[in-house]
Amino acid sequence: MELVILRLLFMLGLVLLFFSLRKPPLKEWLLCYLLAAYFGTFLGDLAAKHELISYPVKLFTQFQSSVLYEYLLLPLLSIYFYRNTYRSSMGAVIGRAAVSSSVLTIIEVFLEHQTNYVHYITWEWYYSLISLFLFFVFVWLMMELLNYLAGEKQEVE
């Protein structure tokens, strides 16, 4: 049953990715997705290899970490986070990052207690809260820096 849910999440993630990349500015959303996937994969792989966290049930069993989360779901959530904070002040970004990371941490703790999707070895829930908060803020700052260096920021429709 858990693999069925992972497959449904995979299909849902692909559909949401398709719809999230349909609106301009495509360059912004694609860059945000790739940036989040790169750093998410690096950090997730680091946590799995150091045996802080494990994923007993995986969609792609060749990998130690959760490829579905790191390559699809977290970058997709980062696009939506960046889209919602595109023109926001730093205070608003911090507030939304706190709310977003809190919701994701609650979901992760529920999954850790009720399913075999994720298992904390030496990981604690507040590590997820802090790391997700910092991750969202970091991706937002990187996108702002890249826009500043490029000298442009397109209008969102």
Side-chain angles (χ1 to χ4, degrees):
M1 183 62 177
E2 289 171 336
L3 279 175
V4 171
I5 293 172
L6 285 177
R7 287 184 184 115
L8 288 173
L9 281 173
F10 179 69
M11 289 187 287
L12 178 66
L14 290 177
V15 168
L16 289 175
L17 181 63
F18 173 75
F19 284 112
S20 67
L21 296 178
R22 290 186 66 195
K23 284 186 170 183
L26 176 63
K27 180 178 77 174
E28 295 287 326
W29 312 143
L30 195 55
L31 185 59
C32 181
Y33 179 86
L34 294 172
L35 188 68
Y38 176 77
F39 286 107
T41 301
F42 173 74
L43 295 171
D45 194 44
L46 199 63
K49 283 192 175 163
H50 284 75
E51 297 180 352
L52 303 173
I53 194 166
S54 71
Y55 302 93
V57 176
K58 296 179 271 197
L59 194 57
F60 304 102
T61 57
Q62 308 88 306
F63 300 95
Q64 223 176 340
S65 61
S66 176
V67 174
L68 175 64
Y69 181 71
E70 294 163 5
Y71 280 102
L72 183 62
L73 300 178
L74 183 60
L76 187 59
L77 292 169
S78 296
I79 288 175
Y80 286 109
F81 176 80
Y82 183 64
R83 184 179 279 178
N84 289 324
T85 57
Y86 193 68
R87 298 270 184 224
S88 299
S89 67
M90 188 59 166
V93 169
I94 288 172
R96 286 190 184 223
V99 170
S100 299
S101 59
S102 297
V103 169
L104 289 174
T105 301
I106 289 168
I107 293 169
E108 183 179 285
V109 168
F110 173 79
L111 292 174
E112 200 270 335
H113 287 270
Q114 301 298 322
T115 69
N116 284 324
Y117 293 130
V118 62
H119 174 65
Y120 294 167
I121 299 170
T122 58
W123 195 260
E124 297 291 336
W125 65 269
Y126 50 88
Y127 295 164
S128 292
L129 180 67
I130 293 166
S131 62
L132 284 168
F133 173 81
L134 292 175
F135 184 82
F136 284 132
V137 172
F138 174 76
V139 169
W140 186 84
L141 286 171
M142 289 297 293
M143 291 299 297
E144 291 296 305
L145 177 64
L146 291 171
N147 283 322
Y148 174 78
L149 293 175
E152 63 184 53
K153 191 157 191 177
Q154 298 178 7
E155 288 297 317
V156 177
E157 295 179 10

